[in-house]
Amino acid sequence: MNARPAVLYDHLAEAIKDPDAVRVGDDLICLRFETMKVYSALGAVRHLLDTGVVSPGDTLIDSSSGIYAHALALACHRYGMRCHIVGSTTVDRTLRIQLEILGATVEQVPSSNNLQLDQNLRVRRIGEILRANPSYHWMRQYHDDIHYLGYSAVAELVGKLVPTGPLCLVGGVGTGASTGAIAQYLRDRGRDVNLVGVQPFGSITFGAEKTCDPDMIIAGIGSSIEFRNVRHELYDRLHWVSFEYAMSAAVDLLRSSGVFAGLSAGAAYLSAQWEHACDSSRKHVFIAADTGNRYAESAFSRHAEAFSMDAMRPREITSLDDLAVPWSAMSWERRGPGLLAGAQVAEGVRS
């Protein structure tokens, strides 16, 4: 195997953004990032500077559970911007110290076991800060389509990895600006791409807010508040995966391939395995958006409890009313958010 060419980067943000592509099965590729949202943050900040919306030295502010906070702090450091983060309690001491050394100021909302309360408190706090500091620019990672821009480079990378033939891209929905953007850029270039979104139970984005996971909502891929930059009509299929099943798949991914990645990667790996079994005519690429470090205690330490991959199978549903833990899957068929009002999918059900 040829070694990677030596590249000297001007900043760490550029060096860490590119993923490692790892084959983890027949026609199944894992794109494993150290922190995928660096693409989003770098692209957004560059665009704001190029269009004159902000200037070097201005302060950018946003809310984050941790991954985007690190990405935005790196982008601000790269381009000479100030950064203020309103973080959740998932911003641990190690990350907070990194953010502060990078020059970001960080504040955390009061501890809460309720994700909706946590997200609402963070957004409310940003409103207070903006009223006191109207010159600050709110990045609005949950709402602004500007965060799609950086993922054009990821689509180009996927195109080089799999230059021909139909594709299936699997990954967390989150704010919509990762999997949705990559699929859109690939389709714009003429590729046949099925997009499979992964969600935790309890997330409102695709109508699972009434179906609770007894363990947790997987950080980063779900929401209890509206994310306005999610384009529902880009998605062909949806999978809702519980903590237990995501943890089990993340453990299997590490055990079988050496890839140490987060819970959203475990959920995407599990979903991609199922989609490949249903349609082996496509090459399947799934997203591992970050490392498994922050899940070492909460998830990987429970590896003895992990289910085998063969023991996990989704409940195929035709209506959101039938969502059930631990794993449900549905053919979304690129429909808009109107389906969330209770419409049913009548076709495309898999056995």
Side-chain angles (χ1 to χ4, degrees), residues 6 15 18 53 56 74 87 92 97 107 129 131 139 185 205 207 219 222 231 262-263 277 314 341 348:
D18 288 343
V53 175
L74 284 171
D92 61 22
I97 290 171
E107 60 178 281
I129 294 170
R131 285 190 290 274
M139 293 298 294
Y185 283 121
T205 307
R231 299 176 187 171
L263 287 176

Side-chain angles (χ1 to χ4, degrees), residues 97-351:
I97 290 171
Q98 289 184 71
L99 296 176
E100 290 173 348
I101 293 173
L102 285 168
T105 51
V106 185
E107 60 178 281
Q108 291 174 275
V109 298
S111 178
S112 171
N113 293 324
N114 183 300
L115 181 64
Q116 182 173 11
L117 178 59
D118 175 80
Q119 289 180 322
N120 283 331
L121 283 173
R122 284 188 271 143
V123 172
R124 187 181 308 153
R125 177 58 185 148
I126 285 177
E128 294 171 351
I129 294 170
L130 290 173
R131 285 190 290 274
N133 302 273
S135 65
Y136 286 12
H137 181 84
W138 183 15
M139 293 298 294
R140 301 172 75 244
Q141 66 148 325
Y142 302 142
H143 308 307
D144 196 334
D145 287 350
I146 195 174
H147 291 92
Y148 277 63
L149 298 175
Y151 291 112
S152 175
V154 183
E156 183 177 352
L157 175 62
V158 172
K160 290 178 180 177
L161 284 170
V162 188
T164 60
L167 277 170
C168 180
L169 178 69
V170 184
V173 176
T175 65
S178 54
T179 48
I182 297 167
Q184 182 65 67
Y185 283 121
L186 285 167
R187 289 169 181 167
D188 289 345
R189 295 169 186 175
R191 291 303 296 271
D192 174 6
V193 180
N194 273 1
L195 178 58
V196 178
V198 179
Q199 284 270 276
F201 292 100
S203 173
I204 74 167
T205 307
F206 280 91
E209 63 270 22
K210 294 181 181 178
T211 308
C212 296
D213 183 340
D215 281 294
M216 66 179 287
I217 284 183
I218 302 168
I221 66 170
S223 176
S224 61
I225 61 175
E226 180 189 7
F227 285 176
R228 291 196 293 274
N229 61 10
V230 174
R231 299 176 187 171
H232 296 76
E233 65 276 9
L234 294 176
Y235 292 84
D236 296 280
R237 294 266 293 164
L238 267 297
H239 286 249
W240 294 264
V241 181
S242 71
F243 168 85
E244 275 193 325
Y245 274 29
M247 178 271 289
S248 297
V251 168
D252 185 86
L253 181 62
L254 176 57
R255 183 178 288 132
S256 63
S257 68
V259 174
F260 183 47
L263 287 176
S264 66
Y269 171 53
L270 181 65
S271 303
Q273 290 272 31
W274 177 255
E275 292 297 322
H276 182 260
C278 293
D279 182 5
S280 60
S281 68
R282 293 178 180 271
K283 289 243 171 81
H284 287 67
V285 177
F286 72 92
I287 304 295
D290 63 341
T291 71
N293 293 325
R294 67 173 176 160
Y295 301 103
E297 288 301 321
S298 62
F300 286 96
S301 66
R302 297 171 57 177
H303 61 88
E305 305 169 24
F307 299 107
S308 72
M309 294 293 283
D310 292 339
M312 298 182 286
R313 184 182 179 91
R315 172 189 174 98
E316 286 285 344
I317 62 173
T318 59
S319 168
L320 293 171
D321 293 334
D322 297 327
L323 276 169
V325 175
W327 181 12
S328 294
M330 182 177 183
S331 292
W332 190 261
E333 299 179 341
R334 305 191 189 183
R335 304 190 184 206
L339 189 61
L340 300 175
Q344 292 187 352
V345 175
E347 299 175 357
V349 181
R350 305 183 184 192
S351 60

